[in-house]
Amino acid sequence: MLKKLNFYQIFVKINENFLEKMMNFKKYKRAYFMPPKPSRSWCEKEFIDKAPAWCSVDLRDGNQALITPMSLDEKIEFFKLLVELGFKEIEVGFPAASATEYDFLRTLIEQNLIPDDVAVQVLTQAREHIIKKTFDALKGCKNAVVHFYNSTSLAQREQVFKKSKDEVKQIAVAGAKLCKSVASEVEGNFRFEYSPESFTGTELDYALEVCNEVISVLKPTQDKKLIINLPATVEMSLPHIYASAVEYMSKNLNERENVIISLHPHNDRGCAVAAAELGLLAGGDRVEGTLFGNGERTGNVDIITLAMNLYTHGIDPKLDFSDIPRICELYERVSKMRVYERQPYSGKLVFAAFSGSHQDAIAKGIAWHKERENGLWSVPYLPIDPKDVGRVYESDVIRINSQSGKGGIAYVLHAQGIDLPVAFRESFSYFVKDISDKAHKELSADEIVQIFHKEFVNLTEPLSVPHFEFSKKEQIFVEMQLVFKGEKKLIKGFGNGRLDAVANALRENLGLKFEILDYSEHSLQEGSTSQAISYVQIECAGKRHFGVGIDTDIITASVFGLISAINLSLR
C-alpha cells in the first residue's frame, strides 16, 4: 500500500533530490597522501628568516593560462621587467610546444638579453623528441635550467597512462638519462630540475623513490645542484599537509646537500600563499610562482604577496616591488588580465580606508610616527608603509565616500596645506559626505579640494567687497566699496580691530545681524610669496556658518573669510 505524503513532505522530498544532484558531497573523498611517518618539526618555527630563491614562471605557466598568449615583443618586455625586479631564475616557456616559444628563447640568447647572473628555465616533458628540440632551442645559452617532468599521481597512472608504478618511474629515469646525454653534446651551461608532476596526488614514499632514482642518474654536486620541484599541481589539502609532505621529502631525499627543494603551489583551494610559507618552514629552498598569482585554473602562488609578507617581518625579500603601480600597468597591458582591487599589496584599494574610524586612526598614526621618527612602522590598519610600494596617502589611502569621517576629509585638505579648525571639520565632513551619498560615488582628493574652494572660499554672492581701506583714528576706521544683491554701495564703520570694523560697517549699513564666534588663520605654504588662509565662524539667526578667505595679504584673507561666512548665512 502506497504511503500518502502531504504537500510539505512532497516539497522537502523534491528539494532533497535537487540538492543531491546539484551538490552531492558524498562523491568526494580526500585524495592526498600523508607521509608514512608524519613529522612536523616545522611547526616549532615562528617565522621565515630569509628569502627563498625565486623563480618566475609568468612567461610559461602564466602565459599558457592567458586567453590570448603574449606576443614575442610583449614577452621580451615582460622578461626585462622580471630582470629589473631582481629575479635570477625565469622560466621562459616550453620551446618545443610552439614557434613563438622557440623564437622567444632564441631571441633572448641571440640578442644577448639574458644578464650573466640570470638563468633562463625551460620546461620539457620527459620524452625524447621534446627533450632534443628543447636543447636545440638552448644552443649557446650561458646559463639555463632544463626542467623536465612526468606525472606520478595515482589518478594519472590509473586513468591516463594506465601504467604501473615502475613503468612511470622509468619514464622519469629515461628522461634524466636523455637530458644528461643531450646536454653533454650541446653548447651551453645547463643545470637540471625534475618535477614529479601532481606531487600532491602521489603516494609520498613513491614520489621519494622516483626522485631518488633521478638523483642517482644526474649525480648533482655542490657546483651544480639538482632542483627537485614539488608541485601542488592541484591543491588538494590544508596547507599543513603540503608542508608535512615537503618535510618528509627534505628529510629523506638522497644527497640532500646537493639538492634544492623547490615549491610550486597552485591555488585551487585558495591557500597557495599559506602552503608556500609553511613549505618554506618545512625545508623548501626555492619558490616558483607568478606576479599576482596568474596561472591555470585559480592560478599559481602570488610571488608579490609572498615577498611582501617577508618584507613586513623585516626580512629582505631580494625582489624590488617599490613601484607596484607601474608593474600592474605593464602586466595588465601585456596579459590582458586585471589586478583585482583587493589583491594583497597590489590592488588599488588594499590601503584604502573609507571608514571614518579607520581614517582617523591612520591619520593620527602617521602624525605620531612623524613626531617620533624612530624608523619603525606600526600605523594602525596599514601593515606596511604604502609609499614603500609606490602608493601615496592622499589618493590611495584616505578615500572619501558617504562612510568617511571628519578625520579623513580633514587629512585630504591638510595634504594641500589646509588645516581646518576643529569645529569646521565636522560640518565640512557632513557637507562632503552628503554630496558623495547623493551622487552614489567616491570623491577624489582633487574633487574634495574643489568642493572646499567652490562652496566656502572667497564667496562673492550675494555680497562682494571689491575694495576697502583702513585708517587709525580713536578706533580702526574702514571705508568699503561693496556690491550687495547687484547694488553698488560705499559704506563706513569703526571697530576695535580691522575685522571688527568691517563687521560693524556691514551690520550698521546693510542691516545684517550676526556675531563672530571664531577666527583663525595660517600660511598655506612657506616662503615670502605664500598665501594666507583665514577661517571665520559667525552665528546668524541661530545658525553657525564657517567662511574661508585666501589671499597673499592676511588682512584681506580675513575680510574675505568674513564675507564668505555672511554669504553662506544669506543663502
Side-chain angles (χ1 to χ4, degrees):
M1 186 173 180
L2 293 175
K3 182 180 179 182
K4 290 185 178 181
L5 299 176
N6 62 33
F7 175 80
Y8 175 75
Q9 290 171 321
I10 294 171
F11 177 79
V12 169
K13 198 70 178 175
I14 290 172
N15 278 276
E16 282 179 350
N17 292 336
F18 176 76
L19 290 174
E20 187 175 346
K21 290 177 182 177
M22 293 298 292
M23 291 190 66
N24 181 13
F25 65 89
K26 295 179 180 179
K27 70 181 181 183
Y28 297 101
K29 68 172 185 176
R30 292 181 289 277
Y32 58 85
F33 294 91
M34 291 292 292
K37 295 180 180 179
S39 172
R40 295 197 180 99
S41 58
W42 56 267
C43 293
E44 300 172 5
K45 299 178 182 178
E46 180 184 351
F47 59 90
I48 302 164
D49 58 5
K50 65 177 181 179
W54 303 108
C55 177
S56 162
V57 295
D58 288 271
L59 296 170
R60 196 275 302 171
D61 211 338
N63 185 56
Q64 74 185 34
L66 300 178
I67 296 172
T68 304
M70 286 178 267
S71 68
L72 178 60
D73 288 341
E74 288 171 336
K75 293 188 81 169
I76 290 172
E77 185 178 9
F78 206 138
F79 178 82
K80 290 179 178 178
L81 171 69
L82 294 170
V83 170
E84 182 185 340
L85 296 179
F87 284 95
K88 300 304 178 185
E89 295 178 343
I90 302 170
E91 191 164 86
V92 295
F94 201 138
S98 73
T100 301
E101 303 269 293
Y102 187 97
D103 292 343
F104 174 51
L105 178 55
R106 291 312 308 162
T107 300
L108 292 177
I109 296 169
E110 292 167 8
Q111 294 187 13
N112 199 29
L113 297 175
I114 307 169
D116 290 343
D117 63 344
V118 172
V120 291
Q121 181 169 301
V122 293
L123 188 68
T124 176
Q125 291 176 327
R127 299 170 64 185
E128 183 173 358
H129 70 286
I130 296 177
I131 288 173
K132 288 183 176 179
K133 187 168 183 179
T134 299
F135 275 99
D136 183 57
L138 281 169
K139 285 179 182 176
C141 189
K142 292 179 290 187
N143 197 5
V145 176
V146 178
H147 179 188
F148 67 100
Y149 72 96
N150 67 299
S151 187
T152 57
S153 71
L154 174 63
Q156 293 265 27
R157 295 195 317 265
E158 289 182 342
Q159 301 171 36
V160 181
F161 306 132
K162 303 187 187 306
K163 292 182 181 293
S164 67
K165 283 184 174 181
D166 190 59
E167 288 173 313
V168 169
K169 179 176 68 176
Q170 290 309 311
I171 295 173
V173 171
K177 289 179 178 178
L178 189 59
C179 282
K180 186 176 182 180
S181 173
V182 176
S184 66
E185 301 170 358
V186 176
E187 176 194 359
N189 180 34
F190 308 116
R191 290 180 292 137
F192 299 108
E193 173 176 349
Y194 172 69
S195 288
E197 194 205 0
S198 301
F199 168 73
T200 45
T202 303
E203 306 92 327
L204 290 178
D205 54 349
Y206 175 61
L208 178 68
E209 180 184 339
V210 174
C211 289
N212 277 335
E213 287 284 352
V214 170
I215 291 169
S216 68
V217 171
L218 295 176
K219 295 181 171 51
T221 64
Q222 278 293 303
D223 293 334
K224 283 199 174 184
K225 293 186 177 183
L226 171 65
I227 300 168
I228 293 292
N229 190 46
L230 304 177
T233 309
V234 177
E235 187 177 32
M236 295 180 169
S237 66
L238 274 68
H240 75 286
I241 300 296
Y242 181 66
S244 295
V246 171
E247 184 174 78
Y248 172 77
M249 297 294 285
S250 178
K251 287 185 174 181
N252 292 284
L253 280 172
N254 294 338
E255 300 192 47
R256 179 64 179 91
E257 69 280 4
N258 297 327
V259 170
I260 295 169
I261 289 185
S262 178
L263 313 177
H264 187 112
H266 277 251
N267 201 40
D268 298 270
R269 292 171 56 92
C271 300
V273 168
E277 290 181 326
L278 297 188
L280 289 173
L281 290 177
D285 308 301
R286 178 180 186 264
V287 173
E288 294 186 347
T290 59
L291 303 184
F292 313 110
N294 179 40
E296 290 185 284
R297 304 183 311 279
T298 53
N300 290 57
V301 68
D302 177 3
I303 285 183
I304 293 179
T305 299
L306 280 174
M308 294 309 300
N309 283 355
L310 288 173
Y311 186 80
T312 65
H313 284 175
I315 306 298
D316 182 359
K318 306 298 183 181
L319 293 172
D320 180 5
F321 294 124
S322 59
D323 192 357
I324 280 182
R326 184 174 72 88
I327 299 170
C328 289
E329 185 281 323
L330 189 153
Y331 167 79
E332 291 186 334
R333 176 165 46 80
V334 303
S335 71
K336 315 301 185 292
M337 298 282 284
R338 184 175 66 85
V339 177
Y340 174 49
E341 288 83 355
R342 302 290 182 187
Q343 183 94 357
Y345 304 105
S346 305
K348 291 180 180 178
L349 297 181
V350 295
F351 300 111
F354 292 97
S355 160
S357 61
H358 287 208
Q359 291 174 345
D360 183 61
I362 289 170
K364 289 175 179 175
I366 290 172
W368 188 89
H369 278 271
K370 284 182 178 178
E371 290 171 4
R372 283 155 183 77
E373 294 183 345
N374 65 358
L376 294 175
W377 182 262
S378 62
V379 172
Y381 299 113
L382 296 180
I384 68 165
D385 186 343
K387 290 181 178 178
D388 288 355
V389 291
R391 304 290 190 189
V392 293
Y393 299 126
E394 293 74 29
S395 60
D396 291 312
V397 178
I398 305 297
R399 306 288 290 263
I400 306 302
N401 63 13
S402 60
Q403 307 300 307
S404 303
K406 61 182 183 292
I409 293 170
Y411 185 87
V412 169
L413 292 179
H414 185 74
Q416 304 296 318
I418 301 166
D419 191 10
L420 296 183
V422 174
F424 192 13
R425 291 176 189 174
E426 186 167 4
S427 61
F428 181 67
S429 70
Y430 281 118
F431 187 86
V432 170
K433 291 199 292 181
D434 186 57
I435 292 174
S436 173
D437 192 33
K438 288 176 179 176
H440 300 289
K441 71 166 194 169
E442 174 192 359
L443 297 176
S444 69
D446 287 343
E447 287 175 313
I448 292 165
V449 173
Q450 288 170 10
I451 290 169
F452 176 74
H453 281 274
K454 179 183 177 183
E455 303 293 342
F456 295 92
V457 179
N458 295 358
L459 302 182
T460 58
E461 289 292 338
L463 173 65
S464 65
V465 182
H467 181 73
F468 55 87
E469 289 185 4
F470 294 101
S471 60
K472 182 76 160 75
K473 297 183 180 180
E474 291 182 2
Q475 289 183 299
I476 299 296
F477 172 75
V478 66
E479 186 175 79
M480 305 167 61
Q481 295 176 4
L482 55 81
V483 179
F484 184 51
K485 297 181 179 179
E487 183 181 348
K488 293 181 180 180
K489 291 189 177 186
L490 179 65
I491 65 172
K492 302 175 182 179
F494 291 89
N496 294 325
R498 290 178 173 82
L499 200 59
D500 186 46
V502 171
N504 288 335
L506 293 170
R507 292 188 191 100
E508 293 168 7
N509 291 276
L510 299 181
L512 300 174
K513 296 180 180 180
F514 64 88
E515 296 297 327
I516 297 176
L517 300 180
D518 187 46
Y519 168 78
S520 62
E521 30 104 329
H522 64 81
S523 175
L524 274 177
Q525 52 188 340
E526 296 179 358
S528 58
T529 61
S530 66
Q531 289 185 306
I533 183 169
S534 71
Y535 311 92
V536 181
Q537 186 186 39
I538 67 170
E539 184 172 51
C540 179
K543 294 184 178 181
R544 297 183 176 189
H545 305 274
F546 260 104
V548 182
I550 296 178
D551 194 83
T552 53
D553 175 66
I554 186 57
I555 301 301
T556 302
S558 65
V559 172
F560 286 173
L562 175 60
I563 299 301
S564 293
I566 291 172
N567 278 323
L568 287 168
S569 72
L570 292 172
R571 290 177 183 178

